[in-house]
């Protein structure tokens, strides 16, 4: 009985973890929102933000999720968003 309950709870906890493991699409959406709501927050860094965002999306589409999380994070730091 306890094994069944433990298995059930373990299964329920294991399912959502991969869903939240890579948050690169959410990060890219945050960058997009920040750029559209305040299109020119740091004019000298704007080109770099666009470059990093595009690079992060390319990594995501290529399945290189480790890089696709790190690169948009750099853009988010420039824009000072979390």
């Amino acid at each position: 009985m306890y094994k069944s309950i433990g298995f059930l709870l373990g299964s329920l906890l294991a399912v959502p973890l991969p869903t939240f493991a890579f948050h690169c699409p959410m990060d890219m959406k945050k960058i997009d929102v920040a750029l559209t709501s305040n299109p020119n927050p740091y004019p000298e860094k704007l080109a770099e933000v666009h470059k990093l965002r595009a690079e992060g999306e390319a990594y995501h589409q290529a399945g290189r999720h480790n890089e696709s999380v790190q690169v948009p994070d750099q853009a988010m730091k420039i824009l000072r968003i979390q």
Side-chain angles (χ1 to χ4, degrees):
M1 167 115 164
Y2 289 112
K3 288 182 181 180
S4 298
I5 293 172
F7 178 75
L8 179 64
L9 290 175
S11 298
L12 291 174
L13 290 174
V15 171
L17 291 178
T19 306
F20 296 110
F22 299 112
H23 50 84
C24 40
M26 292 182 287
D27 289 348
M28 287 185 274
K29 186 172 278 193
K30 287 179 185 179
I31 292 168
D32 292 341
V33 168
L35 290 174
T36 57
S37 65
N38 190 3
N40 207 3
Y42 306 100
E44 66 281 356
K45 297 286 187 172
L46 199 57
E48 184 179 357
V49 169
H50 283 290
K51 178 185 146 293
L52 290 169
R53 195 251 181 247
E55 192 177 325
E57 186 169 3
Y59 282 137
H60 175 70
Q61 290 176 351
R64 296 173 61 185
H65 293 287
N66 204 22
E67 293 94 343
S68 72
V69 172
Q70 293 172 353
V71 172
D73 189 50
Q74 294 171 5
M76 290 172 59
K77 286 179 183 175
I78 292 170
L79 294 172
R80 297 182 183 165
I81 57 176
Q82 295 181 4

